[in-house]
Amino acid sequence: MSTFKNIDEARELFENDRFATGSGMVIDEIGDDYAVCSMEITKEHLNAAGTVMGGVYFTLADFAFAVCTNNIHKVSVAIDSNISFLNAAQSGSLYARCRAVKTGKRTTFCTVDVTDGNGKLCAVFTGTAAKL
């Protein structure tokens, strides 16, 4: 059962996630066990090599993870996370698709795929959240 009544309620709560929203990240979809967030890549997101900085992938994945887990257990916080970088993006959009793999009474384990606008897998994030 979802915590948020609708996507607008989720967006209203996560407006307070200033680092993610200030970086241009938005909530696109939410469901009982998933969330999708996205962002447009700007020059501010690029590293010295001209590709998206690793922290951008992590923040977008963490944002989708937060939306998903707080829709399952409000209020949830991350207690563990990991990311693997697979391919570099340079422009366009990034999408983070979070899926709850295992939900318990107090914890939720999720995977997040971060892809570019062409569907190329750029990063894979895993995380465990605890219900407060």
Side-chain angles (χ1 to χ4, degrees), residues 78-98:
I79 57 172
D80 179 62
S81 60
N82 183 62
I83 193 164
S84 295
F85 304 107
L86 306 174
N87 289 293
Q90 296 176 305
S91 62
S93 301
L94 290 176
Y95 301 89
R97 292 169 177 85
C98 181

Side-chain angles (χ1 to χ4, degrees), residues 101-127:
V101 175
K102 172 76 168 97
T103 300
K105 291 180 182 180
R106 298 224 176 261
T107 62
T108 303
F109 177 80
C110 296
T111 61
V112 183
D113 289 343
V114 181
T115 59
D116 68 10
N118 296 318
K120 179 174 66 174
L121 188 61
C122 296
V124 176
F125 171 107
T126 58

Side-chain angles (χ1 to χ4, degrees), residues 34-66:
Y34 78 95
V36 179
C37 297
S38 65
M39 61 174 287
E40 294 296 318
I41 299 167
T42 68
K43 65 181 181 174
E44 286 77 21
H45 298 119
L46 304 180
N47 60 23
T51 61
V52 173
M53 184 163 209
V56 174
Y57 298 110
F58 187 91
T59 301
L60 182 60
D62 187 53
F63 187 52
F65 173 62

Side-chain angles (χ1 to χ4, degrees), residues 14-34:
F14 282 98
E15 282 178 3
N16 293 319
D17 194 332
R18 292 183 188 8
F19 188 74
T21 58
S23 297
M25 298 173 188
V26 297
I27 301 169
D28 296 317
E29 295 178 44
I30 58 169
D32 288 341
D33 63 352
Y34 78 95

